[in-house]
Amino acid sequence: MQQKLAADMSTTAVQTKGSPATAPRSVPALTVVSHPHPQRIGEQLLLEVLASVGRTAALSRNAPDFSRPGGLLALPLGDPFLSRTPVLFEPAAHGGLRLRVPEDGTQVCVAGESVAGGREFTQEELVAGVPLVLAERVVLLLHLASTAAQSAHRDLGLVGQSQSIQQLRDDILRVADLAVPVLIRGETGTGKELVARAIHEQGPRRSGPFVSVNLGALSKELVAAELFGAQRGAYTGASRDRDGFFRAAHGGTLFLDEVGEAPAEVQAALLRVLETGEVYPVGGHTPVPVDVRLVAATDSNLEARIEERLFKAPLLHRLAGFELRVPPLRERREDIGPLFLHFARQELETTGEGWRLSPTDPRAAPWLPASVAVRLLRYAWPGNVRQLRNVTRQLVIGSRGLPGLRVDSRLEQTLDAESLPVPGRVLAPAGAGVPEAAGEAKSSRRKPSEVGENELLEALRACSWDLKATADFLGIPRPSVYVLIDKSSLIRTARDLSPEEITRCFQECAGDLDKMVQRLEVSRRALQRRVRELGLSDA
């Protein structure tokens, strides 16, 4: 049962379930990404009270309760290192949110930066997700979530609770029992085959075969024979008749991945199959009827390929009887924790360390350290869920026998290479004697056009060529620093340096990267990347 807020709380309690009479809407939410009890990863709290102007949500050790979407059990964070004094969340202008941290309360960090007083986040930052670290032990993701009710039993094999994944599950159920072809769009590594299997398992053909084919991996010379079959002697090496994937999937589902890579002649044959329900084996003249549910997937822009005359428009129209979109991982960061827990459980079972997910000491350090959890949340994940699975395996196996997960230097560099900027605007501490308006004026942004070349150069030198620190120093967004550097005639970038110059400086500085940065006057991160590319290793 839902526990009540402590009686001494002066702020309004947070509800975790919306009224059934109200339409679903997006509200701020907190999702557990790391906790001393790892099984709590994925639990969520909806801050619905913030939808009302002037209302405040409070969060402490003892209240309110987090629960797994669709689940019945609800518990407060409960970690003994968290304070009973609550941190506060307040609505801000234009859909934003303010975080207030009292001096005698729990230490809170935002993506590694300690919060003193408060911080304000825009709606765009909430959409991207804001990592909050409490007492260096509990990591929460502050984000937007839907108030729509979720079922705990219809995950369809898809891990996650984000609004986009909920929508994907709904679309799968809408189309699964129909005979129309389905086109699944999504970046590589997002799990398009899992979606195709869910369509098959939820449809009337679930008892039939599910045949998966990656067109991009087939030989162009043999792709037609692989798909439609071939008669003996139809081509060199065809010593016997072969059925092909279409006939192998008869009565079931055929999943064609990377359909955008199909050669022109195969595209024409696919169109004919969709129109007639018949295939012509290579070397044959008699059509063979097939009863197949076709599900195709692509990470290509098929419309652009049509303009380039690489893909047939009629085939796209026939394949896309119904379209599904699988979101990239960077658009559903609240699912990173549950996905990590899912993959970690699989790996721990193979290593015989499954007990790590059920610790007995409530004061022990979290198995998933806060620093590692924040890195996972801030990484861009160009390889999506597949890459997260591989990173999880690397972490679990690389930390066998250790009390907590450890990130080696190579993986650390990978995760730090494409991380999001630290979100939020600093607010003046309460009772600091400075009006908030003055604090806002001090941290106000400037227009990048107001920054001259010499000022930019001096700021870079003062900040030791740390581009983020330089952006904060100048009061401009970090992307604008990159633009100004590219336009400047006074400043070089790491890509402007020759291999000989970098190697010579590396040797003269004995591999000290900080000395190299000061001598070459380029971004430290970019220089480090060039050093690695050249096979050098910094001390």
Side-chain angles (χ1 to χ4, degrees):
M1 293 180 62
Q2 195 86 340
Q3 296 186 7
K4 293 183 178 180
L5 286 171
D8 60 348
M9 273 205 171
S10 60
T11 53
T12 306
V14 177
Q15 303 280 333
T16 58
K17 293 186 179 180
S19 169
T22 59
R25 63 193 188 281
S26 292
V27 298
L30 294 168
T31 295
V32 178
V33 180
S34 179
H35 191 279
H37 294 277
Q39 67 270 23
R40 299 202 59 183
I41 292 174
E43 292 183 5
Q44 194 174 90
L45 170 71
L46 296 183
L47 304 176
E48 292 186 81
V49 69
L50 297 181
S52 302
V53 177
R55 304 294 291 275
T56 300
L59 176 68
S60 73
R61 177 205 303 179
N62 297 326
D65 295 337
F66 286 70
S67 62
R68 200 165 298 281
L72 300 177
L73 181 65
L75 295 169
L77 291 176
D79 185 72
F81 289 85
L82 302 186
S83 172
R84 293 184 178 88
T85 303
V87 298
L88 305 178
F89 298 90
E90 307 168 351
H94 309 296
L97 182 146
R98 292 191 190 96
L99 168 67
R100 299 289 187 182
V101 181
E103 290 185 6
D104 58 344
T106 299
Q107 178 193 13
V108 180
C109 293
V110 175
E113 291 189 2
S114 180
V115 177
R119 209 171 185 105
E120 182 171 312
F121 308 104
T122 65
Q123 186 177 45
E124 291 74 17
E125 289 171 331
L126 295 179
V127 170
V130 178
L132 303 179
V133 181
L134 310 183
E136 299 184 359
R137 289 173 59 84
V138 176
V139 179
L140 305 175
L141 183 70
L142 175 63
H143 60 99
L144 295 182
S146 173
T147 59
Q150 299 184 41
S151 170
H153 306 291
R154 299 300 296 273
D155 61 13
L156 307 184
L158 304 176
V159 176
Q161 58 203 31
S162 61
Q163 191 168 344
S164 56
I165 286 296
Q166 293 180 54
Q167 180 64 52
L168 181 59
R169 292 192 186 104
D170 291 342
D171 288 340
I172 290 172
L173 294 176
R174 287 188 182 99
V175 76
D177 62 337
L178 304 178
V180 299
V182 176
L183 177 63
I184 305 171
R185 295 184 186 246
E187 296 178 7
T188 180
T190 51
K192 296 186 288 295
E193 183 170 344
L194 283 178
V195 175
R197 287 186 180 275
I199 294 172
H200 174 73
E201 292 296 333
Q202 297 299 317
R205 296 171 176 265
R206 65 179 67 90
S207 59
F210 177 87
V211 179
S212 176
V213 182
N214 186 331
L215 292 179
L218 297 180
S219 167
K220 291 186 177 181
E221 293 76 17
L222 299 177
V223 62
E226 296 278 7
L227 286 175
F228 312 118
Q231 290 189 349
R232 179 180 178 181
Y235 56 88
T236 303
S239 58
R240 57 181 177 83
D241 292 345
R242 62 190 308 171
D243 288 340
F245 291 121
F246 265 92
R247 280 190 277 179
H250 185 78
T253 302
L254 177 62
F255 173 56
L256 297 181
D257 198 5
E258 296 191 29
V259 71
E261 304 301 317
E265 62 274 14
V266 172
Q267 293 180 37
L270 284 175
L271 184 59
R272 183 170 61 246
V273 174
L274 287 167
E275 291 176 344
T276 66
E278 298 175 337
V279 299
Y280 279 86
V282 175
H285 303 285
T286 304
V288 178
V290 290
D291 176 22
V292 170
R293 169 77 177 275
L294 190 62
V295 179
T298 183
D299 59 2
S300 302
N301 185 336
L302 295 184
E303 289 77 10
R305 292 182 68 82
I306 289 172
E307 292 182 4
E308 298 169 1
R309 300 184 180 278
L310 297 175
F311 200 82
K312 297 181 181 296
L315 178 57
L316 171 59
H317 301 152
R318 291 305 301 263
L319 289 173
F322 188 77
E323 284 197 25
L324 296 175
R325 177 181 179 270
V326 186
L329 191 54
R330 63 181 176 275
E331 292 182 6
R332 52 182 189 112
R333 293 183 186 274
E334 60 266 44
D335 291 337
I336 290 176
L339 282 165
F340 171 84
L341 180 62
H342 174 74
F343 296 135
R345 183 177 286 115
Q346 293 177 343
E347 296 303 323
L348 288 171
E349 287 175 357
T350 64
T351 61
E353 295 183 319
W355 52 270
R356 292 194 179 278
L357 297 182
S358 301
T360 56
D361 182 4
R363 306 183 72 85
W367 178 67
L368 172 59
S371 59
V372 178
V374 169
R375 278 190 168 95
L376 296 178
L377 288 174
R378 297 183 63 201
Y379 185 56
W381 297 110
N384 292 294
V385 177
R386 182 186 295 124
Q387 186 184 17
L388 175 59
R389 180 188 62 194
N390 293 337
V391 167
T392 304
R393 179 182 294 122
Q394 181 76 15
L395 283 169
V396 172
I397 296 177
S399 305
R400 288 187 71 182
L402 301 178
L405 291 177
R406 179 191 62 184
V407 182
D408 61 38
S409 58
R410 182 175 179 180
L411 182 56
E412 186 178 77
Q413 290 172 354
T414 298
L415 294 177
D416 288 344
E418 297 187 44
S419 61
L420 294 175
V422 178
R425 179 175 61 85
V426 177
L427 300 178
V434 180
E436 185 169 310
E440 291 181 3
K442 184 177 180 181
S443 61
S444 62
R445 292 291 188 183
R446 299 170 61 189
K447 293 181 179 179
S449 57
E450 298 174 357
V451 179
E453 284 191 83
N454 289 320
E455 182 184 4
L456 174 63
L457 181 59
E458 291 304 317
L460 286 165
R461 288 170 174 166
C463 297
S464 300
W465 294 85
D466 184 313
L467 302 191
K468 181 191 176 302
T470 301
D472 294 339
F473 182 85
L474 294 172
I476 62 176
R478 184 164 66 173
S480 299
V481 175
Y482 293 101
V483 175
L484 292 174
I485 289 176
D486 286 338
K487 291 182 178 179
S488 174
S489 59
L490 302 177
I491 303 171
R492 297 190 301 175
T493 65
R495 64 175 178 267
D496 297 326
L497 304 175
S498 68
E500 293 77 17
E501 185 176 6
I502 295 175
T503 302
R504 183 171 61 253
C505 184
F506 180 88
Q507 294 170 345
E508 293 174 354
C509 295
D512 189 321
L513 196 62
D514 292 325
K515 291 182 180 179
M516 294 178 66
V517 168
Q518 295 302 319
R519 178 176 297 189
L520 297 173
E521 294 199 320
V522 294
S523 161
R524 188 183 195 279
R525 180 176 292 179
L527 180 59
Q528 187 177 42
R529 189 180 303 117
R530 288 295 308 276
V531 166
R532 292 201 305 267
E533 290 173 352
L534 293 173
L536 305 172
S537 59
D538 48 317

